[in-house]
Amino acid sequence: MEAITTPQFSALTTGSKSIGRSENIAMVALNFNRRGRKDCVITISRKPNIQSRSFHLGLPHSCNHSQAPLLESGDCYTSFDEDWLLKNKAQEVASCLNGRSIFLVGMMGSGKTTVGRILSEALGYCFVDSDRYVEQAMGTSVTQIFELRGESFFRDHESEALQKLSFAPRKVVATGGGAVVRPVNWKYMRQGITVFLDVPLDALARRIAAVGTDSRPLLHFESGDAYTKAFVGLFTLTKKRSEAYANADATVSLLHLATNLRLEDVSDITPTVIAIEVLAQIEKFLRGNNGKSLRIYPY
């Protein structure tokens, strides 16, 4: 018999739209062999049907002994929810970040603002939306800036905003979708960690169509239904930006995440689960085989 403690997760790709709801139960099964912890199986069960799915998490940390109750079997089960996972992962990654800011990049509608707010709260960081930052500085909306002064004028002020934000530690910055097109912006964003939220075009178009394209100056065409306008516009923009997005330090692919979670639609992935995956990918980037940071930052 062995005594064990609740583990600290070192790698994570898990989640479900049902985790954290009162009618659901999330269980962790920690399997052990003679050398200590082997893996972690997460089972999501929903009452009253008790249908479940399981996901595997790598847990390389060794099993620690404590005064916890002894187990007669080799498995330990503990319940948790999305918030618990997020808090745990944030605590792990914070020690690696050392105050470095996080810059989220991706197409409009990819969830940068929503996920960014969740990340900032979990890490104890400040959240900044670069578009709102420019709007406050200019005293008008992005849409009006595009209409009255043009895209180039907006991009100039966007670059100024990113330059200022690059000097500020402990921030999560949701950048505009086109911020990646100017090489100088990468110089600023690389003062922190850049993460690309990769969302399929169909999902992006559905999200934008649901709220309309009026506030999206690059998608505001004269004719066509909202979904068609959004999809065609996004397709064109993606061809121009895809190589630039690939420059990000880390990428979170919602399509891959949905596949791993056995979800049919990426829209079923909650923002909290995406935030957890962002932290996991950041940690993966920052840590080499020896556990040290891959590059040096000024903070």
Side-chain angles (χ1 to χ4, degrees), residues 147-161:
E147 292 177 351
L148 300 176
R149 307 300 295 270
E151 181 178 358
S152 180
F153 181 84
F154 168 76
R155 296 300 175 199
D156 289 340
H157 286 274
E158 180 180 57
S159 293
E160 289 180 11

Side-chain angles (χ1 to χ4, degrees), residues 2-8 10 30 32-33 35-38 59-65:
E2 292 184 273
I4 65 173
T5 59
T6 302
Q8 294 293 316
S10 59
L30 304 181
F32 296 88
N33 56 25
R35 292 175 295 179
R37 180 153 62 251
K38 183 178 181 181
L59 296 171
H61 300 305
S62 62
C63 176
N64 298 320
H65 293 271

